[in-house]
């Protein structure tokens, strides 16, 4: 099986959020899709390891913030590369409450849902949500996973459905690339990595220059 075929599927980049006993929490997700238009329902796929999964189970509600191409890529780092069990992710990202759920302010649109059904897979829960509120927050093109991968140079956390092991991805024959050891972001800027200022931080996960490794 050639897993690169999965790269031909189209995915977005989303923050799926809910409440954890009065505290806002959430995680990134690539797999969200509209299932029906009337009544409007969507499905999202959340890994069992994501703390958000249990919180959605407990509250029966979730919101999907749809990130745009101009959304701060640091949002992906905050929600994708650390656990909501340990960190108050919404302390690091501006949010607004819509239909009683926290959504990311710097998203291009949001959907607020009530869980109407769920399906278990070996690694992920697929939540089916009836949309109870939705709106556009700003004019922007939605960020696709392909855009995140090719323009922002980001990768998937290991528990994302879109994650491909390193050996499955055709690597570029480049002499020296610097890769973030936390999130996998590949630095390919015009300024040589060594010449970047000491206060340079990874644009995706905000970790310092010191976590980058030469590949
Ligand atoms: Fe990073």
């Amino acid at each position: 099986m050639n897993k690169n075929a999965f790269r031909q599927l189209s995915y977005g980049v989303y923050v799926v959020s809910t409440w954890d006993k009065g505290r806002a929490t959430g995680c990134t997700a690539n797999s969200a899709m509209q299932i029906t238009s009337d009544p409007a329902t969507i499905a999202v796929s959340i890994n069992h390891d994501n703390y958000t999964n249990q919180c959605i189970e407990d509250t029966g509600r979730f919101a999907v913030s749809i990130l745009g191409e101009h959304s701060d890529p640091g949002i992906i780092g905050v929600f994708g590369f650390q656990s909501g069990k340990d960190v108050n992710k919404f302390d690091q990202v501006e949010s607004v409450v819509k239909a009683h759920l926290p959504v990311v302010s710097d998203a291009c649109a949001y959907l607020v849902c009530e869980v109407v059904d769920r399906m278990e897979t070996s690694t992920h829960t697929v939540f089916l949500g009836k949309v109870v509120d939705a709106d556009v927050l700003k004019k922007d093109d939605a960020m696709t996973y392909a855009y995140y991968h090719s323009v922002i140079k980001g990768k998937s956390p290991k528990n994302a459905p879109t994650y491909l092991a390193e050996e499955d991805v055709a690597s570029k024959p480049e002499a020296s690339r610097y890769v973030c050891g936390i999130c996998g972001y590949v630095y390919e800027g015009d300024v040589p990595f060594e010449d970047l200022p000491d206060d340079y931080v990874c644009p995706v996960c905000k970790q310092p220059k010191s976590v980058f490794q030469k590949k």
Side-chain angles (χ1 to χ4, degrees), residues 77 81 179-186 201-208 211-212:
F81 294 92
V179 179
C180 174
I182 304 298
C183 75
Y185 168 81
V186 180
V201 295
C202 172
V204 175
C205 70
K206 307 295 186 199
Q207 296 302 303
V211 305
F212 279 76

Side-chain angles (χ1 to χ4, degrees), residues 24-195:
T25 194
C27 63
T28 55
N30 290 131
S31 301
M33 63 185 291
Q34 185 169 5
I35 305 297
T36 61
S37 63
D38 188 17
T41 53
I42 63 162
V44 295
S45 174
I46 306 291
N47 195 293
H48 296 154
D49 294 340
N50 277 322
Y51 187 60
T52 304
N53 187 312
Q54 187 56 51
C55 296
I56 294 173
E57 200 64 62
D58 292 345
T59 59
R61 289 167 68 85
F62 65 91
V64 178
S65 300
I66 303 169
L67 298 188
E69 291 183 354
H70 295 90
S71 296
D72 178 359
I75 295 168
I76 301 165
V78 169
F79 285 95
F81 294 92
Q82 49 186 355
S83 174
K85 199 187 272 183
D86 313 320
V87 179
N88 282 325
K89 299 180 181 181
F90 275 95
D91 285 353
Q92 300 168 53
V93 170
E94 202 177 312
S95 63
V96 59
V97 174
K98 298 285 187 183
H100 310 295
L101 281 184
V103 304
V104 173
S105 301
D106 189 17
C108 63
Y110 73 86
L111 308 164
V112 173
C113 304
E114 283 173 5
V115 175
V116 291
D117 210 344
R118 63 184 58 68
M119 181 179 76
E120 290 301 334
T121 71
S122 56
T123 56
H124 289 68
T125 306
V126 180
F127 291 101
L128 190 66
K130 176 183 163 195
V131 181
V132 296
D133 186 31
D135 206 354
V136 173
L137 293 173
K138 65 177 178 183
K139 199 172 183 324
D140 193 5
D141 290 327
M143 186 189 293
T144 60
Y145 180 72
Y147 180 92
Y148 170 65
H149 188 69
S150 67
V151 180
I152 301 180
K153 311 287 184 195
K155 294 197 175 160
S156 296
K158 286 190 177 169
N159 62 3
T162 46
Y163 175 76
L164 292 180
E166 202 66 45
E167 60 267 27
D168 295 326
V169 182
S171 60
K172 291 187 205 162
E174 296 196 25
S176 67
R177 292 184 308 166
Y178 280 84
V179 179
C180 174
I182 304 298
C183 75
Y185 168 81
V186 180
Y187 177 76
E188 290 179 341
D190 294 334
V191 177
F193 187 82
E194 295 83 349
D195 297 341

